[in-house]
Amino acid sequence: MTVPAGIALGTMTALPTDTAMAVRGVVQILTPNDFPPPPEQSEGFPPPPTLTWDIAYSGQPIALVLAETIEAAIEGAEAIRPEYQARAFVPFMYSEGAVREPVEDVIAGEAMSALQTATTLVDEYYRSPSQHHNPIELLSTTAVWQDGRLTIYEGCQNTTGTRNAIAGALGIDPSIVVVKSAYIGGGFGQKGIALRQSAIVARAAILTGRPVKLVTPRSQIFHTATFRPQSVHRIRLGADANGRMIAVRYDAEHEQSRNGFFPPNEYHEVPSRLYAIPNYLGSASNLRIDRQDPGYMRAPHPQASCFALESAVDEMAYALGRDPLAFRLAHDTDRDPVSGNPLSSRFLNRCLEEGARRFGWSSRSPEPRSMTAPDGTQIGWGVACGAYPSSMTPNLVTFRVNANGSARIALSGHEMGQGMRTAIVQALLKHIDIDADRLEIAIGDTSAAPQHMTAGSWGTASTIPASEVAARRMQERLDALLDGRVIEGNAHRKLAAVRRPFLEVEISQLAPGQEPSALDDLRQVGFAPAGPAYPEFTTMSYFAHFVEVTVEPRTRRIRVPRVVTIADCGRVVSPRTARSQIYGCVVWAISATLREQTETDGRFGGYLNCDLADYVVAVNADIGDIDVGMIDEPDPMANRTGVKGLGNGAMVGASAAIANAIFHATGKRVRHMPIRFEDVL
């Protein structure tokens, strides 16, 4: 059990452990003295992922209590009473002492001069709250030190990065560290970087020579793991006399830790490419405060940025007297406004048309407040679009088929519940007949193959094409071995018939335009993604959301009885798991739009609602009918399989569709999340 810091900023001056060690069952207590001292140049930088005397944020781990039972560990942790020298801290992004740090602008065309010629202008602020992941499976790390090797079992999206972080923090050779993550148990970005606990647990295993397991309580996860930062978005959107959008000036800023890296400029990656708007100027800034690092959370930047842009586009449609659907259809494009390169595939308008047909958009009454039920319940219909970068990363694959009926494929990838293993099996069986029941899929294991970070919805686009290449290569090797002989049965029986114990192939894959050096980056750091802007084209996935909301006349409770979401994600590899991904994204969007917000305590720097009782999320009663569909058109340029990203993207735009539907129902334009009953009183 870790002991959290009781101050938000300062230095721990004493850490008495005698009382805790007297607790029956407590074995050992790790303190900052049990870890390599931080390098001198680290002053002013975030604390290393170990235990230190300096405190940078509330809840930072300061000790680890090792015990024979969880009850003893909790009792021992509660018995520790540190002493501190506290310093004044900055709790909020607009508090005195927050440091504004601009980053490089994103520029296409001449937005400011174009805005001066606009005849219709929308100029508004849109706000997205800080939100925390709440996986039902808590963050868990198990470390085993045996025969001079350290093995880490942890649900994570980046086993290579975790290996390197642990080795760096403890000053040991990465080659003696193995990280295994067979199943993640829900990732969504929180497990994309090394967890704050990983090196601490690893050090405990090394010092004790015993396996050590830590499951971090939810309240501590809120304070130590990454989260979605609060962000503010000002959008100035201009249209000309013909009703065409001609320019966007978009200023984004978000809360940031003193030395965190979560990049604010990525808020512009999707909005700058969503429509045929030739002029775009996007600025972005960190506002640095005394908080733990923010980070990636489901559709990290586009969730907030498309809530802002698609709300503004909806406002523009109403200002021009245009149907919001027709207005979006009229701004289709086949080129990337930022790079000028062609879009490899874009079926956003087909998504809109199919979604409108399924939803029954043609029956919509256009005026706000014009649709009501007999009991006075207000009904609103809203539409919004979304997009997500379709990135890819290198992969190295070893595929072996054995005559005894078994097979094994080892490659980069992580299974976080999106059905990666199912998709790999389907990719292999498409090209070679093997026994799927006896196929071992080794992913998320640094001892099996170099592992890339699985994030950004590039997992399938990076893993499935590589798996298909390996399967085709294996079939070619088998055909060459048989040399024209016809043998009945699957690949295993054919190998047995010619008395060949096994065949093995190794292949490597690069993203379009990548140099072979990217494979070295994959091996060493596990991070070498490319896209969505490739040298000769840009690839994005696209989504159209149609939402119906109801607002009760007295309680003003907002409900979402039905949603239609259509996705353009390239070729659909596994329809069942793909539908599940989209469905889950829509559920999350409903929750994020109407329920979720992390409440920060400005007095102490911690979080007030750091549990599932007070951090409100959508439950079954909040979810109505969700109809999902996919265009299923392969992307001809992205990769040989034609697949594009899906996992994050289907959430993008859904929040704006809900907000737009609320405006249609009530006539109230709400420009912040979460939207609650007091906003529509």
Side-chain angles (χ1 to χ4, degrees):
M1 177 68 64
T2 53
V3 179
I7 62 172
L9 187 66
T11 303
M12 183 169 57
T13 57
L15 184 59
T17 59
D18 291 348
T19 303
M21 282 299 300
V23 173
R24 183 177 180 180
V26 171
V27 174
Q28 189 169 338
I29 298 173
L30 270 64
T31 74
N33 293 334
D34 293 304
F35 291 83
E40 293 183 6
Q41 64 268 27
S42 70
E43 184 177 353
F45 284 76
T50 57
L51 302 178
T52 66
W53 295 100
D54 291 328
I55 308 301
Y57 55 86
S58 177
Q60 177 183 320
I62 58 172
L64 177 68
V65 178
L66 304 178
E68 299 287 356
T69 66
I70 185 63
E71 292 81 8
I74 293 172
E75 184 178 351
E78 291 177 344
I80 292 178
R81 295 290 185 270
E83 297 177 12
Y84 304 100
Q85 183 176 349
R87 301 199 301 273
F89 64 94
V90 179
F92 301 113
M93 60 189 290
Y94 295 123
S95 298
E96 183 179 355
V99 177
R100 183 180 298 276
E101 179 188 79
V103 298
E104 186 176 358
D105 292 345
V106 175
I107 301 173
E110 298 288 342
M112 296 311 294
S113 59
L115 284 173
Q116 292 177 358
T117 69
T119 58
T120 306
L121 184 68
V122 172
D123 185 354
E124 297 291 350
Y125 287 85
Y126 305 89
R127 292 172 169 82
S128 180
S130 60
Q131 295 173 329
H132 271 73
H133 306 74
N134 270 287
I136 299 303
E137 180 179 313
L138 300 173
L139 304 185
S140 172
T141 302
T142 300
V144 179
W145 174 256
Q146 187 173 20
D147 300 328
R149 294 187 65 81
L150 178 66
T151 303
I152 304 293
Y153 301 92
E154 182 177 280
C156 71
Q157 300 168 230
N158 187 9
T159 47
T160 296
T162 296
R163 178 199 67 190
N164 293 346
I166 291 172
L170 302 183
I172 60 178
D173 187 345
S175 66
I176 69 169
V177 182
V178 173
V179 180
K180 297 176 180 286
S181 180
Y183 294 92
I184 294 175
F188 310 110
Q190 188 177 58
K191 302 172 185 177
I193 61 173
L195 301 179
R196 191 66 172 78
Q197 65 200 44
S198 303
I200 299 173
V201 178
R203 181 65 171 165
I206 293 172
L207 291 178
T208 62
R210 298 173 61 179
V212 176
K213 180 178 181 178
L214 172 67
V215 179
T216 300
R218 189 172 303 277
S219 61
Q220 292 188 23
I221 291 175
F222 265 73
H223 290 83
T224 60
T226 57
F227 63 101
R228 192 193 304 280
Q230 180 184 1
S231 58
V232 177
H233 310 257
R234 182 186 181 186
I235 292 187
R236 281 164 277 186
L237 174 63
D240 63 16
N242 296 319
R244 290 203 60 83
M245 294 186 287
I246 58 172
V248 178
R249 170 67 191 268
Y250 182 171
D251 304 306
E253 54 192 24
H254 66 198
E255 60 184 354
Q256 178 64 275
S257 65
R258 290 297 181 183
N259 294 279
F261 62 88
F262 188 63
N265 57 307
E266 289 187 14
Y267 288 113
H268 301 296
E269 192 168 38
V270 168
S272 62
R273 297 180 167 100
L274 191 54
Y275 295 112
I277 305 176
N279 303 289
Y280 189 98
L281 174 58
S283 73
S285 297
N286 291 307
L287 288 172
R288 295 196 176 275
I289 59 177
D290 298 308
R291 192 80 59 80
Q292 89 262 32
D293 292 348
Y296 295 88
M297 181 176 177
R298 197 60 154 177
H301 296 86
Q303 158 63 6
S305 64
C306 278
F307 170 72
L309 180 72
E310 281 295 274
S311 295
V313 168
D314 211 65
E315 295 197 52
M316 178 63 77
Y318 277 98
L320 295 171
R322 300 282 301 279
D323 176 83
L325 170 63
F327 188 62
R328 288 170 170 84
L329 287 168
H331 286 84
D332 197 18
T333 182
D334 60 1
R335 303 198 75 83
D336 177 354
V338 178
S339 69
N341 285 338
L343 298 170
S344 60
S345 71
R346 175 182 164 104
F347 297 100
L348 178 56
N349 274 17
R350 280 181 57 181
C351 292
L352 286 165
E353 291 161 354
E354 174 63 13
R357 183 190 67 79
R358 294 193 188 191
F359 190 79
W361 184 265
S362 60
S363 301
R364 175 181 180 268
S365 174
E367 294 299 320
R369 299 174 59 90
S370 62
M371 297 174 65
T372 58
D375 66 353
T377 295
Q378 294 175 306
I379 301 170
W381 289 5
V383 61
C385 297
Y388 201 80
S390 186
S391 300
M392 285 168 273
T393 187
N395 214 318
L396 291 163
V397 184
T398 301
F399 182 32
R400 172 181 287 210
V401 177
N402 301 308
N404 67 4
S406 65
R408 183 178 192 267
I409 184 168
L411 68 166
S412 299
H414 297 82
E415 174 60 84
M416 64 181 77
Q418 80 276 47
M420 181 63 72
R421 294 177 184 275
T422 300
I424 290 172
V425 172
Q426 292 173 331
L428 296 177
L429 294 179
K430 181 180 176 182
H431 301 284
I432 188 167
D433 184 8
I434 58 174
D435 185 350
D437 292 336
R438 296 187 63 188
L439 171 67
E440 177 190 357
I441 301 175
I443 55 177
D445 184 344
T446 60
S447 66
Q451 296 297 309
H452 62 67
M453 175 194 287
T454 300
S457 294
W458 61 62
T460 301
S462 305
T463 300
I464 300 309
S467 299
E468 291 199 10
V469 170
R472 285 192 294 264
R473 188 77 52 82
M474 178 65 74
Q475 186 62 55
E476 292 168 0
R477 289 280 308 277
L478 182 60
D479 291 342
L481 177 66
L482 297 179
D483 194 24
R485 287 173 287 182
V486 177
I487 300 174
E488 296 297 324
N490 60 20
H492 310 288
R493 294 186 179 182
K494 292 174 180 177
L495 287 174
V498 297
R499 300 184 182 278
R500 185 68 176 262
F502 68 88
L503 278 180
E504 183 173 281
V505 298
E506 295 183 3
I507 68 102
S508 63
Q509 174 184 272
L510 294 166
Q514 278 193 323
E515 298 293 330
S517 59
L519 292 171
D520 295 328
D521 293 334
L522 171 65
R523 294 184 181 97
Q524 295 168 14
V525 299
F527 188 76
Y534 299 96
E536 297 180 357
F537 60 90
T538 296
T539 298
M540 308 280 284
S541 296
Y542 300 95
F543 307 89
H545 305 277
F546 294 81
V547 171
E548 177 180 305
V549 303
T550 60
V551 182
E552 295 179 355
R554 294 176 180 82
T555 66
R556 308 305 285 164
R557 183 173 63 175
I558 303 168
R559 291 290 199 187
V560 182
R562 65 188 184 105
V563 178
V564 174
T565 294
I566 309 297
D568 165 25
C569 56
R571 176 190 157 208
V572 179
V573 175
S574 176
R576 178 172 294 180
T577 55
R579 290 191 194 96
S580 178
Q581 287 277 294
I582 299 170
Y583 190 97
C585 281
V586 173
V587 170
W588 196 329
I590 294 170
S591 188
T593 310
L594 303 178
R595 301 284 185 270
E596 298 183 39
Q597 182 174 16
T598 303
E599 303 286 351
T600 302
D601 188 332
R603 302 167 300 168
F604 305 108
Y607 302 112
L608 293 167
N609 56 338
C610 52
D611 55 61
L612 283 180
D614 298 307
Y615 186 92
V616 184
V617 299
V619 295
N620 286 355
D622 298 304
I623 307 303
D625 179 65
I626 300 175
D627 179 18
V628 304
M630 292 160 282
I631 300 300
D632 198 11
E633 288 280 357
D635 188 308
M637 302 173 70
N639 50 69
R640 191 166 178 176
T641 305
V643 66
K644 301 194 290 188
L646 176 61
N648 285 278
M651 185 177 183
V652 181
S655 291
I658 295 169
N660 296 339
I662 290 171
F663 172 75
H664 182 240
T666 66
K668 293 181 180 290
R669 181 67 69 176
V670 184
R671 301 183 180 92
H672 63 259
M673 294 184 287
I675 304 172
R676 293 174 173 161
F677 72 88
E678 59 265 30
D679 296 310
V680 293
L681 288 175

